[in-house]
Amino acid sequence: MRADARKNRDHLLATAGAAVTEQGADVSLRDIARRAGVGLATLLRHFPTREALLEALLRTSFEELTAKADELETSSSPEDALVSWLRDCTAWTTEYRGVTVLMAAAIEDTESALHASCVTLRAAGARLLDRAQDAGRARTDIDGTDLFALVAALAWLGDQPSLAPRADHLFGVVASAVLTGAVSGEAEVSDAG
Amino acid sequence: MRADARKNRDHLLATAGAAVTEQGADVSLRDIARRAGVGLATLLRHFPTREALLEALLRTSFEELTAKADELETSSSPEDALVSWLRDCTAWTTEYRGVTVLMAAAIEDTESALHASCVTLRAAGARLLDRAQDAGRARTDIDGTDLFALVAALAWLGDQPSLAPRADHLFGVVASAVLTGAVSGEAEVSDAG
DNA sequence: ATATATTCGGATCAGTGGTCCGGATAAGCA
DNA sequence: TGCTTATCCGGACCACTGATCCGAATATAT
């Protein structure tokens, strides 16, 4: 890769990160290019689709979340690990507004640049869920896909300005449903991490 | 209102209903106008925004749902009434893909044409929730807004092709969280209506 | 039948994601 | 150092979106 191309790529990624954080994942690609002092075509050559751009942008976050899941699997109780990781996931999405809907679409679209990352994330959650289920701490009628869907739904809530204030509270409600034997009230499942 | 205007309005509404059912709430307004054999400007004169069009389109559905809530309030047990009505709401949204996000935006945007309907719907749910809470059948740490958010999140799940297959199942999971004393397992809360 | 008030819709605008190709430029070699 | 060439850049363009404007068509009232 030529030096100027590399420089443009890096600069575009940094600019895109700022733009997505400010305006959400549906920010205009033209705006990103403009802010980077570059033509739209240059952006689209390095990242042929919006998904490709976001994949490059979120790759490290994805890796951190899966690594966190691995770590929690040995460092915490099955229940705390699961809840803590779910909370991390929902908290993370609040930084990148609008990415949830793209992830939901990507997880069954094998052509999407985000597909692999989403599948990996789902698998990480499934492992934590399995462990909690084996320990008798999570209801056994849900699987990794259900968990992914629940997290996506909660993340989506956080994306909606009118519903976001309730997202934290409702996380507790949903978490209490996932954990068997948990009494009502979110205090039971809060901040394990 | 002139006769030709009335005819165009009615025809547009019928065409829009078909188009939204087929392609979702983000269907191109130009397409609707084209299919109705009318210019885009004509559509936008009758319905100045997409929200206004959807409001006219969904008005009867909204009224039916609120009427259903009133009816259930006297005809069923507090618990059955609440769950049955929630199920009706989520089932209804599956007919109009993409309307959930607009409703979430409309409920706190007093300028939106959908605002009033959304507020009314939330109030109807709040009444059923209150009744269930008074009967000790629903957890007391949630209110009408939380309920609205939960229904919206479940409806959003149904809108996502990859997650929709789990929407029904997860409705049971979430419903079990809303109902105090409900044992795990969705059978406990299924099909009261 | 005429006058008028209302409605209609093509033309147009700014915005979007995406494509193409001539020109600029960096890398490789003598 | 200077030349060649492969690579990269970005303005111009396309089809599409929602939205606006205004001259033309038309239904209604007299």
Side-chain angles (χ1 to χ4, degrees), chain A residues 13 30 36 41 46 63 85 93 99 102 113 119 124 154 156 173 184-185:
Chain A
L13 219 43
R30 220 177 219 96
H46 286 295
E63 288 170 357
W85 188 77
T93 61
V99 82
L102 293 174
V119 170
L154 287 167
W156 176 82
V173 173
S184 314

Side-chain angles (χ1 to χ4, degrees), chain B residues 8 17 39 42-43 55 59 75 84 88 91 99 106 114 117 133 143 157 177-178:
Chain B
N8 268 347
T42 299
L43 188 159
E55 196 275 337
R59 173 178 287 277
S75 70
S84 168
D88 284 350
V99 82
L114 285 166
S117 298
Q133 286 170 335
D143 62 8
L157 278 182
V178 171

Side-chain angles (χ1 to χ4, degrees), chain A residues 15-167:
Chain A
T15 307
V20 169
T21 307
E22 290 168 20
Q23 303 183 234
D26 57 347
V27 61
S28 161
L29 298 183
R30 220 177 219 96
D31 273 359
I32 297 176
R34 196 151 31 208
R35 282 173 59 167
V38 136
L40 172 64
T42 299
L43 188 158
L44 288 167
R45 188 170 328 106
H46 286 295
F47 310 101
T49 66
R50 166 174 258 112
E51 280 78 21
L53 175 61
L54 288 171
E55 195 276 336
L57 202 58
L58 306 180
R59 174 177 287 277
T60 60
S61 295
F62 278 118
E63 288 170 357
E64 285 171 14
L65 280 172
T66 56
K68 183 71 177 288
D70 291 343
E71 176 202 322
L72 285 167
E73 203 165 348
T74 59
S75 71
S76 298
S77 73
E79 180 175 347
D80 286 350
L82 178 60
V83 174
S84 168
W85 188 77
L86 293 180
R87 198 176 282 280
D88 284 349
C89 285
T90 56
W92 166 67
T93 61
T94 64
E95 294 181 48
Y96 298 100
R97 193 160 25 95
V99 82
T100 311
V101 57
L102 293 174
M103 288 177 61
I107 199 162
E108 76 167 6
D109 175 12
T110 56
E111 304 300 310
S112 169
L114 285 167
H115 178 72
S117 298
C118 291
V119 170
T120 304
L121 210 62
R122 180 178 59 187
R127 281 201 306 277
L128 291 175
L129 177 62
D130 278 345
R131 184 160 162 262
Q133 286 170 335
D134 288 346
R137 300 297 297 164
R139 56 194 295 167
T140 54
D141 64 344
I142 60 178
D143 61 9
T145 299
D146 293 318
L147 202 64
F148 185 86
L150 285 174
V151 171
L154 287 167
W156 176 82
L157 278 182
D159 277 356
Q160 310 304 308
S162 63
L163 310 178
R166 311 297 177 121

Side-chain angles (χ1 to χ4, degrees), chain B residues 2 8 30 38-39 41-42 45-46:
Chain B
R2 243 165 69 172
N8 268 347
R30 217 177 221 95
V38 136
T42 299
R45 188 170 327 106
H46 286 296

Side-chain angles (χ1 to χ4, degrees), chain B:
Chain B
M1 176 179 252
R2 243 165 69 172
D4 54 346
R6 155 113 270 144
K7 198 180 110 190
N8 268 347
R9 208 192 109 102
D10 292 346
H11 188 207
L12 275 168
L13 219 44
T15 307
V20 169
T21 307
E22 291 167 20
Q23 303 182 233
D26 57 348
V27 61
S28 160
L29 298 183
R30 217 177 221 95
D31 273 359
I32 297 177
R34 198 151 31 210
R35 283 173 59 167
V38 136
L40 172 63
T42 299
L43 188 159
L44 288 166
R45 188 170 327 106
H46 286 296
F47 310 101
T49 66
R50 165 173 259 114
E51 281 76 21
L53 174 61
L54 288 172
E55 196 275 337
L57 200 58
L58 306 181
R59 173 178 287 277
T60 59
S61 296
F62 278 117
E63 288 170 358
E64 283 170 15
L65 280 172
T66 57
K68 184 71 178 287
D70 291 342
E71 176 203 322
L72 285 167
E73 204 166 347
T74 59
S75 70
S76 298
S77 73
E79 180 175 348
D80 286 350
L82 177 60
V83 174
S84 168
W85 188 76
L86 293 180
R87 197 176 283 278
D88 284 350
C89 285
T90 56
W92 166 67
T93 61
T94 64
E95 294 181 50
Y96 298 101
R97 193 161 23 97
V99 82
T100 311
V101 57
L102 293 174
M103 288 176 62
I107 200 161
E108 76 167 6
D109 174 13
T110 56
E111 303 302 310
S112 168
L114 285 166
H115 179 72
S117 298
C118 290
V119 170
T120 304
L121 209 62
R122 180 179 59 187
R127 280 200 307 276
L128 292 176
L129 177 63
D130 277 346
R131 184 160 162 261
Q133 286 170 335
D134 287 346
R137 301 296 296 163
R139 57 193 296 164
T140 54
D141 63 345
I142 60 178
D143 62 8
T145 299
D146 294 317
L147 202 65
F148 185 86
L150 285 175
V151 171
L154 288 167
W156 177 82
L157 278 182
D159 276 356
Q160 311 304 309
S162 62
L163 310 178
R166 311 296 177 122
D168 266 352
H169 180 208
L170 293 175
F171 174 89
V173 173
V174 171
S176 76
V178 171
L179 303 178
T180 45
V183 301
S184 315
E186 72 176 315
E188 193 70 14
V189 293
S190 65
D191 309 66

